[in-house]
Amino acid sequence: MRLKCMALVLMVLSLLPFTLEAQASGTVVQTNEETVVYDNRSGSLIQVGTLSAGQTFVVKKDYGANWWQIRWGDFDGFVSKRYTTIVPAKTYKNDVKWQVKVTNHITATGVTPIFDNTGNKLVQFATLSEGVKYPIYSKGGDWYGIAVNSRLGFVHSKYVVEEKNEVTTGKPTKPPVENKPTPPPVQSTPNGYIEATENAILYDFRRENKTMVIATLLKGQQLKVENAEDPTYVKVRWGKTFVYVEKSKVKFVNTPSYKNVGKDSAMKNEYFIPISGNSEIYDRSTGKLIPFAKLDTNRRYPILRKEDSWYVTTIGGREGYIHSSKIALDRGVPVLMYHHLLKKHELGRFTNVSTTMTDVQFANEMQYLKSKNYETISIYELQQFMRNEITLPAYSIVITFDDGLLSTREYAYPILKKHGFQATQFLITYRNEYSPEEQRFDYTDLQALSRQDINNMRDVFSYESHTYNLHDMIGRTGKMLLVPYREVVQDLKRSLAIIPDAKALAYPFGQYNTNTIYAAREAGFTMGFSTKLGYNNPFDDIFQIKRLSSDQQTSFAQYQKMVSPFAK
């Protein structure tokens, strides 16, 4: 066994980028999508950050067919060539010599955005992973300058902790524009503010074909304009994104009548959900509570700060207060995990098995979601949400099934279809590939869906991967963790040959490690689902998506509490 383990370690090490002969390169690459930066100094690939999609970087060295080497702080990082394209020239201007000696460091307390400040606004071009230690190149106000390869970036002090008793020796450089969390927007119109001539809805258009009402600006109230060039809508900042109001319902004014100016982009990665019909936010700058906007009770709103019993948010550069009794703290989007369904009299050997529940229990759970107006969202919308590209209704939920079992055809499919719900199946595609067409259901056995079954249920289910044929246990360890790395990649690619549109992988038995994640990325997956309990929020790791499950022992009250978007 020790010889086998040693052989496996040597095989993994042979795949790491430091084993290849390096050649110097001034190549410029552009990232096609968000691309992970790895540290290989421990002998394993450890994620230390990401490069944002569409950004350019001058690589330090070319490592053959699979890897680029870049300078990541005071060590070398590696990015996969798979997610990059060579381009003629870099698109940024903030060059820096990373060789300058530095001694001070910061440590990221969470996923930390890195910004370019050379334009009229801050542009995120990379992130630091939680817990990563990084040298400081310069400091100005609330911002730290750091050298990402040969590009100067800025991180805000709220995301990091600085090590004490050290002196920064890096070359001084300018702080971000105006030394603020975000520079003031460039006005595209001489009229910098709007005033509602009637109650005016603020819309978010980022969800495809699903316009979302974010708030209502009350008649006579004002907000700061971000852009007014569109013939129909005025653009207003909201957090790190924008909302839109119809021009026909506002007028332009040159100066604001309010004093409670707020910085939308300084919002924390924390959110609240209004739980009261009285969901107005108030201006308190005069000592009185003056409502200026009404929030939607099925939305999550970013938190700027808390003051005593009040939470503060911002819309359009204006701070709004809402009392803590009117809100609940958002805990993220729940992802439900199911496997096998049977009628009560069919349970037999599946009685009290955690991966099996009755059709009646499942029906009651789905009926509850319907009664509370939950929206079942796709895993791709979840991905967008976790990348902070869209917001989602507070009452959003993802429904998943592992293993691709025939019982989902018999019991889950008609219930989901009845309620107009969508769900995702994670298929062990080897089993589905060889399942007979038009098979009869046998409740005493675990049967896999056939290709015919899969195609017949596409109006409810989307299909993702649970591997091709790695869903087995060897002792207490999943087979996926024991076979050679290259075999894992080949298995996953074979799975994609059967479900070519798949972009997500559910790890068998919830077991995975760093190399598993990298194999999934190399095979072409962009999401990974675990069995870790919890909820999912913006900037969480999309290759470690958390899930929740109920079983035969779960009470209905426990289920209601579990799926709630906030703790009750």
Side-chain angles (χ1 to χ4, degrees):
M1 176 59 73
R2 291 183 65 184
L3 290 174
K4 290 183 179 179
C5 291
M6 183 59 69
L8 178 60
V9 170
L10 290 173
M11 180 283 303
V12 173
L13 291 177
S14 70
L15 294 169
L16 297 178
F18 62 76
T19 63
L20 299 173
E21 182 179 354
Q23 296 179 348
S25 172
T27 303
V28 179
V29 299
Q30 178 172 296
T31 50
N32 301 326
E33 61 184 71
E34 185 180 80
T35 303
V36 172
V37 181
Y38 290 101
D39 175 10
N40 70 352
R41 293 175 297 169
S42 66
S44 297
L45 294 176
I46 306 299
Q47 180 173 338
V48 290
T50 64
L51 307 180
S52 300
Q55 297 296 312
T56 58
F57 299 88
V58 180
V59 300
K60 180 184 176 184
K61 293 180 180 178
D62 183 346
Y63 270 87
N66 299 314
W67 297 93
W68 298 117
Q69 183 187 48
I70 66 172
R71 188 67 176 175
W72 194 252
D74 45 12
F75 62 91
D76 291 327
F78 295 85
V79 296
S80 173
K81 289 185 176 181
R82 177 185 179 89
Y83 307 107
T84 65
T85 301
I86 296 176
V87 293
K90 62 183 178 65
T91 56
Y92 61 88
K93 300 178 181 179
N94 52 342
D95 292 285
V96 66
K97 293 182 179 180
W98 52 262
Q99 297 94 335
V100 173
K101 182 181 178 182
V102 291
T103 58
N104 243 20
H105 288 78
I106 52 173
T107 299
T109 57
V111 177
T112 299
I114 306 171
F115 296 98
D116 184 323
N117 77 318
T118 53
N120 292 322
K121 61 181 180 179
L122 297 177
V123 176
Q124 182 178 330
F125 70 89
T127 69
L128 290 179
S129 295
E130 182 177 357
V132 170
K133 183 178 178 180
Y134 209 96
I136 302 169
Y137 189 81
S138 64
K139 184 177 180 181
D142 292 329
W143 292 87
Y144 294 99
I146 62 174
V148 179
N149 203 37
S150 59
R151 185 174 185 180
L152 180 64
F154 292 93
V155 297
H156 197 271
S157 57
K158 67 181 179 181
Y159 295 112
V160 299
V161 174
E162 181 180 356
E163 292 187 0
K164 304 298 182 181
N165 303 321
E166 294 183 343
V167 178
T168 302
T169 58
K171 178 182 176 181
T173 186
K174 65 175 182 178
V177 179
E178 293 193 16
N179 193 26
K180 295 181 179 180
T182 187
V186 176
Q187 296 299 328
S188 61
T189 169
N191 302 304
Y193 300 85
I194 53 170
E195 181 178 309
T197 55
E198 58 182 285
N199 288 351
I201 294 174
L202 302 174
Y203 298 100
D204 185 336
F205 295 127
R206 292 177 297 165
R207 288 185 75 193
E208 187 175 358
N209 300 321
K210 293 180 181 178
T211 297
M212 296 181 66
V213 173
I214 299 301
T216 301
L217 180 63
L218 302 181
K219 182 179 179 180
Q221 296 300 315
Q222 300 173 347
L223 296 176
K224 188 176 181 62
V225 173
E226 181 74 16
N227 187 292
E229 294 178 353
D230 186 272
T232 305
Y233 294 97
V234 178
K235 184 178 182 180
V236 173
R237 181 168 285 280
W238 178 49
K240 291 180 172 59
T241 185
F242 305 96
V243 289
Y244 298 82
V245 59
E246 294 174 82
K247 281 187 173 179
S248 61
K249 296 184 178 180
V250 300
K251 64 180 180 180
F252 291 98
V253 295
N254 291 319
T255 56
S257 60
Y258 62 86
K259 298 179 180 179
N260 56 331
V261 176
K263 301 178 180 67
D264 296 73
S265 61
M267 294 291 194
K268 300 177 181 178
N269 188 32
E270 299 172 2
Y271 305 83
F272 68 78
I273 299 170
I275 57 174
S276 169
N278 181 16
S279 58
E280 287 84 3
I281 53 174
Y282 296 91
D283 184 323
R284 299 202 314 171
S285 59
T286 63
K288 298 180 180 180
L289 293 179
I290 301 174
F292 70 88
K294 184 177 178 65
L295 306 182
D296 192 289
T297 54
N298 191 24
R299 301 288 179 262
R300 35 178 59 91
Y301 296 89
I303 297 170
L304 182 62
R305 65 181 180 275
K306 186 181 181 184
E307 293 183 8
D308 299 322
S309 297
W310 295 83
Y311 282 89
V312 185
T313 188
T314 64
I315 294 180
R318 187 174 183 180
E319 290 186 351
Y321 289 73
I322 187 167
H323 197 269
S324 58
S325 63
K326 306 297 182 183
I327 64 97
L329 296 180
D330 172 45
R331 56 185 180 183
V333 175
V335 178
L336 297 180
M337 176 178 62
Y338 297 101
H339 290 76
H340 191 36
L341 302 180
L342 292 173
K343 291 185 177 297
K344 187 173 182 179
H345 72 271
E346 296 173 342
L347 286 173
R349 66 187 177 99
F350 298 102
T351 300
N352 295 327
V353 173
S354 63
T355 53
T356 303
M357 70 160 48
T358 68
D359 62 329
V360 172
Q361 182 180 352
F362 181 74
N364 289 340
E365 292 181 355
M366 295 302 104
Q367 177 58 44
Y368 175 76
L369 297 180
K370 187 69 174 181
S371 70
K372 296 298 182 180
N373 296 315
Y374 277 81
E375 180 180 342
T376 55
I377 62 169
S378 71
I379 63 170
Y380 302 112
E381 286 192 296
L382 175 66
Q383 182 182 52
Q384 289 178 294
F385 172 77
M386 293 176 69
R387 288 176 169 174
N388 204 36
E389 296 170 352
I390 62 171
T391 189
L392 288 172
Y395 288 86
S396 297
I397 200 161
V398 180
I399 301 173
T400 66
F401 289 82
D402 285 8
D403 301 347
L405 297 174
L406 192 62
S407 65
T408 61
R409 182 193 73 181
E410 297 297 301
Y411 301 126
Y413 175 74
I415 293 170
L416 293 168
K417 187 170 184 176
K418 171 186 174 182
H419 294 309
F421 287 170
Q422 59 179 311
T424 294
Q425 295 244 24
F426 290 105
L427 305 178
I428 308 166
T429 50
Y430 168 81
R431 302 178 187 180
N432 307 116
E433 187 177 23
Y434 291 103
S435 289
E437 305 292 347
E438 300 181 0
Q439 59 185 323
R440 296 184 62 182
F441 178 61
D442 178 3
Y443 64 82
T444 66
D445 194 12
L446 288 174
Q447 300 162 277
L449 295 168
S450 68
R451 293 193 183 204
Q452 182 184 69
D453 296 322
I454 291 169
N455 288 329
N456 288 343
M457 297 191 294
R458 289 189 182 274
D459 58 331
V460 168
F461 291 115
S462 61
Y463 299 98
E464 305 295 331
S465 180
H466 208 22
T467 75
Y468 177 74
N469 194 21
L470 293 178
H471 194 281
D472 288 304
M473 292 285 282
I474 300 175
R476 294 185 177 182
T477 304
K479 182 179 178 181
M480 192 176 190
L481 299 185
L482 298 177
V483 302
Y485 174 89
R486 189 52 53 189
E487 289 185 22
V488 174
V489 175
Q490 290 172 349
D491 177 277
L492 297 180
K493 287 183 176 180
R494 191 168 182 182
S495 175
L496 289 172
I498 298 170
I499 43 175
D501 295 332
K503 293 295 181 183
L505 172 69
Y507 307 114
F509 314 106
Q511 297 183 7
Y512 65 98
N513 56 26
T514 302
N515 285 331
T516 310
I517 293 174
Y518 186 73
R521 277 184 166 275
E522 184 173 340
F525 293 99
T526 59
M527 305 176 73
F529 285 73
S530 74
T531 58
K532 290 182 177 179
L533 298 180
Y535 305 81
N536 301 283
N537 291 282
F539 304 111
D540 285 354
D541 188 343
I542 57 175
F543 277 91
Q544 299 188 67
I545 294 172
K546 297 177 282 291
R547 293 194 282 179
L548 305 166
S549 64
S550 63
D551 56 31
Q552 296 168 51
Q553 307 305 315
T554 305
S555 71
F556 190 52
Q558 289 172 324
Y559 173 80
Q560 294 178 62
K561 184 178 180 179
M562 179 176 68
V563 299
S564 173
F566 47 82
K568 296 183 177 180

